């Protein structure tokens, strides 16, 4: 019997890789995506990797009536809710669009899992809920949350709060917030990957686009931070490891006998600086990356990386791919895009 999992935002960057990981473990994804922030090319990639067309419903997660029909059609075992806006800078310019889309989408999904008693729910949260760590740069799930810097960050922070209150009202449901660190890389086939719309905000797509000539040069945002080389430090996690964390989370939830709400960090446990990424890219590809040191970017956290112990102990999951793997795969994906 099919084990249907609703994957909202399943045509997006993390969503599409999770669809692949779910299929490998015997789940059937039902993708909901309206492609406002995804590229239909991903469907070609998924077809190539899966060997068949994915199940897809072109729907906005704010469309409650459309979603209700879907919940009537499939007996979902679980929901993974990715669909959301995710650009920090854009969220400052368009706060209402961010709050409407990210919070209304979440509220709609939660109302439906309660109505249809879908037992397992995984939410795309972010390490942004920790803000700038005070003291230790390694954060665990017990590290106190801090108020975010941007409306985007608030949508994740408030999303977790909404889920916490929802949990009290629907205690039989099994709910998990996955707090992602910095997803990078692409599927090893290079058929799916990150698809920045316009100029990339994130570091690795900017690096690969610079190397291939789509961008003139990379600007490293600041080299005067109190870190080992002066540039900011993040925990970069391969997107396939991140995808597999979702499958581990769903499997864990499915095995629980009673309702719960947990938050789990999804990172590698190690930090890498911006300049270390640049150097690793040059070493791996043999290319020289044109870059300049620019001013600090407003709102940047200086240094943060995951304590990844809970993921290992609770979910039996840990990252198995390296930053080198991620760079190789991101570069292969950029080169694949150049052939289209
Ligand atoms: N960076 C550059 N040059 C660039 C792009 C980025 O130097 O052109 C630097 C940034 O200053 C930062 C690092 O690379 O030090 C990583 O930046 P990203 O934009 O790739 O990632 P962030 O850590 O800023 O943001 C990510 C997610 C957000 C999430 C946030 C939580 O993209 O969704 O982590 O901390 F909110």
């Amino acid at each position: 019997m099919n084990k249907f999992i609703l994957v909202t935002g399943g045509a997006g960057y993390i969503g599409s890789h999770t669809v692949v990981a779910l299929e490998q473990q015997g789940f059937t994804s039902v993708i909901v995506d309206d492609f406002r922030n995804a590229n239909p090319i991903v469907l070609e990639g998924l077809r190539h990797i899966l060997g068949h067309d994915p199940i897809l419903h072109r729907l906005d997660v704010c469309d409650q009536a459309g979603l209700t029909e879907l919940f009537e059609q499939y007996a979902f075992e679980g929901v993974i809710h990715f669909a959301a806006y995710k650009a920090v800078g854009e969220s400052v310019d368009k706060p209402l669009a961010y709050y409407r889309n990210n919070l209304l989408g979440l509220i709609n999904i939660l109302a439906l899992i309660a109505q249809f008693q879908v037992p397992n729910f995984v939410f795309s949260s972010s390490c942004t809920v920790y803000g700038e760590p005070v003291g230790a740069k390694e954060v665990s799930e017990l590290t106190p949350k801090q108020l975010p810097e941007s409306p985007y960050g608030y949508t994740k922070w408030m999303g977790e709060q909404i889920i916490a209150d929802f949990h009290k009202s629907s205690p039989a449901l099994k709910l998990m917030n996955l707090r992602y660190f910095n997803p990078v890389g692409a599927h090893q086939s290079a058929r799916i990957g990150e698809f920045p719309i316009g100029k990339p905000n994130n570091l690795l797509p900017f690096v690969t686009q610079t190397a291939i000539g789509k961008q003139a040069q990379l600007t490293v945002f600041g080299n005067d931070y109190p870190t080992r080389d002066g540039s900011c430090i993040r925990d970069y996690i391969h997107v396939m490891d991140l995808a597999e964390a979702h499958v581990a989370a769903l499997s864990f939830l499915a095995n629980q006998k009673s309702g719960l709400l947990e938050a789990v960090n999804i990172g590698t446990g190690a930090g890498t600086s911006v300049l270390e990424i640049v150097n690793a890219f040059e070493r791996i590809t043999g290319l020289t990356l044109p870059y300049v040191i620019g001013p600090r970017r407003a709102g940047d956290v200086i240094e943060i990386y995951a304590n990844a112990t809970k993921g290992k102990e609770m979910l039996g999951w840990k990252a198995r791919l390296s930053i080198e793997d991620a760079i190789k795969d991101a570069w292969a994906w950029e080169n694949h895009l150049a052939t289209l």
Side-chain angles (χ1 to χ4, degrees), residues 80-142:
I80 306 178
H81 180 50
F82 293 105
Y85 292 142
K86 62 169 188 177
V88 175
E90 184 186 59
S91 77
V92 176
D93 298 329
K94 300 179 180 169
L96 300 184
Y98 271 68
Y99 287 122
R100 182 186 292 124
N101 189 45
N102 293 10
L103 297 184
L104 194 55
L106 172 64
I107 291 166
N108 283 347
I109 291 288
L110 292 176
L112 286 165
I113 69 168
Q115 184 183 339
F116 287 84
Q117 287 295 295
V118 177
N120 307 309
F121 173 77
V122 178
F123 176 60
S124 292
S125 189
S126 164
C127 68
T128 197
V129 299
Y130 297 118
E132 176 79 57
V134 183
K137 304 302 179 191
E138 180 188 272
V139 292
S140 84
E141 295 79 358
L142 298 174

Side-chain angles (χ1 to χ4, degrees), residues 128 152 182 201-203 219-221 232 234 236 297 300:
T128 197
Y152 161 77
N182 287 57
N201 296 304
N202 295 114
L203 178 62
T219 302
V220 173
F221 297 139
C232 292
R234 297 286 184 278
Y236 295 93
R297 183 171 72 176
D300 258 342

Side-chain angles (χ1 to χ4, degrees), residues 49-80:
I49 297 166
L50 302 175
H52 60 83
D53 281 319
I55 302 174
L56 167 69
H57 294 266
R58 289 177 188 261
L59 206 59
D60 177 350
V61 283
C62 293
D63 174 358
Q64 179 88 356
L67 282 178
T68 305
E69 277 179 29
L70 217 59
F71 277 72
E72 283 164 353
Q73 189 180 342
Y74 299 92
F76 291 124
E77 287 219 352
V79 175
I80 306 178

